[in-house]
Every structure is written in C-alpha cells, then in structure tokens.
Amino acid sequence: MKPANQRLTGTVCMILALITLLTACSKPASDKTPAPEGITLEASDIQVTEGNSGFSIATVNINLSAASNEAIEIGYRTENGSATEPNDYQSNSGTVTIAAGETTQSFTISIVSDTQPEEDESFNIILSRPQDSTLETITIKVTIEDDDAFPALQVGDINTITEGDSGTTAAVFNITLSTSSSNAVTVDYATSDGTASAPGDYLSKNGTLSFAPGETSKTVTVDVVGDTTPEQDEKFSLTLSNPGNASLNDAIGMATIVNDDTTATLPILQTENISITEDDAGTTAVVFNITLSTSSSSTVTVDYATSDGTASAPNDYLSKNGTLSFAPGETSKTVTVDVIGDVIAEFDETFKLTLSNPDNADLNNNTDGIATIIDNDTDSTALLSNPGPQSFDEEQAYTIDITARPGTRVFVSGMPPGMHWD
C-alpha cells in the first residue's frame, strides 16, 4: 500500500489532467482551424427581383480562394441600408462551414415581396471570422430590384386662354397620374417662355406638387397678363421634372394666349435690286438693303440666302446665308455680299438674295433682290451669241448677229470652203 501523501499526489495529477482536457475541448473550433496563410474569402454583390407576394430568395455564395485542410466557419449578419427589415427583407445571422477540401458554401436571405412601386433598395451582409484575422471582413451589397410599375405623370395643354385687356387671367394646367398610388407622389414644375415672355405676357411660376396616396389630379395656375396691344397669339409652357414615386409621360404642357385686341397688321419685309461694277481684282461689296414697311413692337426675324443667276459662286461672287433680326423699333438692315474682280471680258451677270421664313412680319410678293455685276473689261475678242446650227443655199447672202462691245475687233476662223465674210 502506497503512503497517503503519494495517493493524494496521484489524485491531484488526474484532476489536473482532466481539467486540461476539458479546457482544450471547450475552445472554439475556429481557434483550432485557422485559415492557411494565403487563403482569402471571396463573395460578390447580389441583385434579386422583389416579386409581388410572399418572399423572394437571395442566395449568398461564399468562396475561398483555395481549399483548406481544415473545416472553416464563416459568420454572417445582415445590416440595413435603404432597404430595412422587416418591411423589405428578413434579418438573419449565423455561421456557415466550408468543409475541408472544399472552396464554396452558401446561405439564403428572404426578401419581402409586394406590389408597391418604389425605387430599387439595398441592404448589406457582413461576412467575418472574428477569431481568425487571416480572413478579412467582407461586405456584400444585396440590391432589391423593384418590379412594380410607377404611375405616369402628365400635364395637359391649354389650347386657348383669352388674354383680357387688363389685370390677369388664370391659365390652369391639369397634372394627372395614370393610376392612383399607395405612396405619396411628388413632381417639380416650372414655366418657360415661348413666343410669350414673362413678365410682360404672363407671370412665371415654379414649385413642387405633392399627391397624397390615392390622389390622381392636381392643378397649377399661372396668371396671364392682359393688355390692349394688338399682337399675334403667343405661347408659353409648363414643364414637369424630378418625379418621386412616379414616371413622366407627357412632361410639357403648352398654353396659347389668344389675343383679343384688334389684329395687328404685320409689317412687310422687302429687299431691293442693285447694280455693282465688277473691278479688276479683289472683291467689291454689294450691299442689299432689307427694310420693314413699318416699325414693330416685337422682334422681327427673317432668313436670307444668295443663289446663282447668270453669275455663279464662287467664281463671280461669294455665297452667303443667315438670319436677320430687327429689334423692336428697327426698320432697316443690310446684307453684304462680296463680288469677285477679274480682267476677263464677259457679259454682265446676275445673282439674287432671297428672303424666307419671316417671324412677326410678312414678305413682299417679290422676295428676291437681284444684283447685277457690270463687267468693266475690254479685249480684242468678240462676245458671240451662238447662232446654233445653220444651213445655207448657194449664192445666197445671210446675216448672223454678233454681240460685241464697242470698238472690239472681230476675228472669224474655220470658214467652210466656198464661204466668206464681208
């Protein structure tokens, strides 16, 4: 029999050994299975369609860059973003185990489906392994793609609003939703000038409309300024922008202000004919005068363009086109065209300047101004008009007209046998 003190020592050693074994067994498995050096955690962002009822499933795939000799546990948890639980998704947390020799594992998150139109929303999934610093924390973004149609916003035209002689008249635009919505709908609006301008013809306005859930119609009222000035009917517009919980269908409404004063007689636009001596070199300016029969209280515009006659561009003149603008009160403008000089004897030639597309004015019946380029050159060559094919009887005398400048010497060559010139 062993002494008592030896039996006590043996018992203590057994107890210590048992404690050591229990302590080792109680340690987390992750402390025993660190990821081998060089292995990284990989995961991609996810898009999932919301659906209309029940739940849609977002499947999260977790990957290791290489297989491990030991099983590896990965923790995960969800985190709100623009999508929040429990309205948009069901929160979840836990762990997944990637078995030894494998590189992938997955888990799912439930997405709450509905029929409410809304913007796409997102939340995050955080992957981590707190006891193992060799695997980094990864954030996965889960985007919930809404599959419900937004109602469409549109604004109607105001075909006629009578101006009035004084004060203001209300132009009321109707803004409507194609269907009612369970969400509040907002949209910005603003007026802009057309042929009517603020503040002379109407008072500009901008702001934001808000449709409460279930509402489908709103109005915007714009004040039209009355006067007694005869003028043309004029237009301005109301434009919608930046919709919230809705789409835009017809975003621009046009209002026509009908003039109720004596119809204005529009001024008449006209140009002129002009002659210019050619010169021997460089360019000479041909200046067309374009005039209004009377001044106008509105801005008058008109397009112009040159075109060939017997003169042609760019040999005889330099072509030109553009738009003239007469400020209120102005009655005269000019268009200058450069004529090319030369020393070639030739006939006088013409080109024209044509007016078109007038605004706040009418055109004279004759819309063309004719420019005549007068040739100033002489030489010894006659300028012959082509008589065309001719047939002659024998012993008969015939006359052929030759156009030539005074003092020009006339040479004839290539006479058929038996014919001569006097």
Side-chain angles (χ1 to χ4, degrees):
M1 177 176 291
K2 294 182 180 180
N5 60 344
Q6 291 181 355
R7 292 198 302 273
L8 179 60
T9 300
T11 300
V12 171
C13 289
M14 291 178 64
I15 292 171
L16 290 174
L18 181 59
I19 291 172
T20 300
L21 178 62
L22 291 173
T23 301
C25 292
S26 65
K27 288 183 179 180
S30 57
D31 284 353
K32 288 185 175 183
T33 58
E37 187 174 353
I39 294 180
T40 57
L41 185 61
E42 300 172 347
S44 300
D45 292 340
I46 301 169
Q47 290 81 39
V48 58
T49 302
E50 179 187 65
N52 293 325
S53 62
F55 297 94
S56 296
I57 301 300
T59 300
V60 184
N61 294 311
I62 304 173
N63 301 292
L64 295 176
S65 60
S68 171
N69 293 329
E70 303 287 347
I72 295 179
E73 290 186 352
I74 308 297
Y76 65 88
R77 61 182 175 85
T78 53
E79 178 183 78
N80 285 343
S82 54
T84 58
E85 59 84 22
N87 295 325
D88 300 310
Y89 72 97
Q90 291 188 332
S91 62
N92 200 354
S93 63
T95 60
V96 293
T97 300
I98 301 178
E102 296 184 354
T103 59
T104 186
Q105 186 57 274
S106 63
F107 62 93
T108 60
I109 303 292
S110 295
I111 307 299
V112 178
S113 301
D114 61 40
T115 56
Q116 177 175 302
E118 55 194 338
E119 302 294 335
D120 292 348
E121 299 172 311
S122 65
F123 65 95
N124 296 326
I125 298 173
I126 312 299
L127 303 180
S128 63
R129 197 161 184 260
Q131 290 81 13
D132 184 1
S133 60
T134 63
L135 288 176
E136 70 277 18
T137 296
I138 288 183
T139 299
I140 301 172
K141 181 179 180 180
V142 180
T143 300
I144 305 173
E145 297 177 338
D146 187 71
D147 57 352
D148 304 305
F150 281 116
L153 280 160
Q154 57 187 8
V155 56
D157 293 333
I158 303 176
N159 293 325
T160 57
I161 178 71
T162 302
E163 177 186 64
D165 294 336
S166 63
T168 59
T169 302
V172 182
F173 290 91
N174 289 310
I175 294 88
T176 57
L177 278 171
S178 57
T179 60
S180 61
S181 173
S182 57
N183 296 319
V185 171
T186 59
V187 66
D188 295 340
Y189 64 86
T191 55
S192 57
D193 290 351
T195 50
S197 59
D201 300 309
Y202 71 98
L203 302 182
S204 61
K205 196 169 187 179
N206 63 77
T208 300
L209 289 177
S210 181
F211 295 73
E215 286 188 314
T216 58
S217 180
K218 290 283 182 179
T219 60
V220 172
T221 300
V222 179
D223 289 331
V224 172
V225 178
D227 61 40
T228 56
T229 303
E231 55 194 338
Q232 299 299 302
D233 293 346
E234 297 172 310
K235 297 178 183 290
F236 69 94
S237 60
L238 183 82
T239 301
L240 306 181
S241 62
N242 303 320
N245 292 323
S247 61
L248 290 176
N249 181 13
D250 186 353
I252 300 177
M254 191 67 67
T256 301
I257 304 173
V258 177
N259 178 63
D260 58 351
D261 306 304
T262 303
T263 303
T265 300
L266 293 178
I268 304 299
L269 278 161
Q270 56 192 0
T271 185
E272 62 178 347
N273 297 332
I274 191 168
S275 296
I276 184 74
T277 301
E278 179 185 61
D279 214 345
D280 293 335
T283 60
T284 303
V286 175
V287 181
F288 290 91
N289 288 309
I290 291 85
T291 58
L292 281 171
S293 58
T294 60
S295 62
S296 173
S297 59
S298 302
T299 297
V300 172
T301 61
V302 66
D303 296 339
Y304 65 87
T306 56
S307 58
D308 291 351
T310 53
S312 60
N315 296 323
D316 300 309
Y317 71 98
L318 300 181
S319 61
K320 196 168 188 179
N321 64 77
T323 300
L324 290 176
S325 180
F326 295 74
E330 286 187 315
T331 59
S332 179
K333 290 284 180 180
T334 60
V335 173
T336 301
V337 180
D338 289 329
V339 171
I340 309 296
D342 61 42
V343 291
I344 301 171
E346 53 193 340
F347 293 111
D348 294 344
E349 298 172 309
T350 62
F351 68 91
K352 62 185 177 181
L353 183 82
T354 301
L355 305 181
S356 62
N357 303 319
D359 186 38
N360 291 323
D362 285 330
L363 288 175
N364 191 339
N365 292 333
N366 184 7
T367 60
D368 298 331
I370 305 299
T372 301
I373 305 173
I374 299 173
D375 187 71
N376 67 335
D377 305 302
T378 60
D379 63 17
S380 60
T381 302
L383 305 178
L384 303 179
S385 59
N386 183 3
Q390 299 288 332
S391 61
F392 301 93
D393 293 330
E394 293 183 0
E395 305 300 329
Q396 293 292 320
Y398 291 89
T399 299
I400 296 176
D401 292 332
I402 298 174
T403 302
R405 298 185 181 283
T408 299
R409 298 174 62 194
V410 178
F411 295 88
V412 178
S413 62
M415 290 290 293
M419 293 190 71
H420 67 275
W421 292 92
D422 291 332

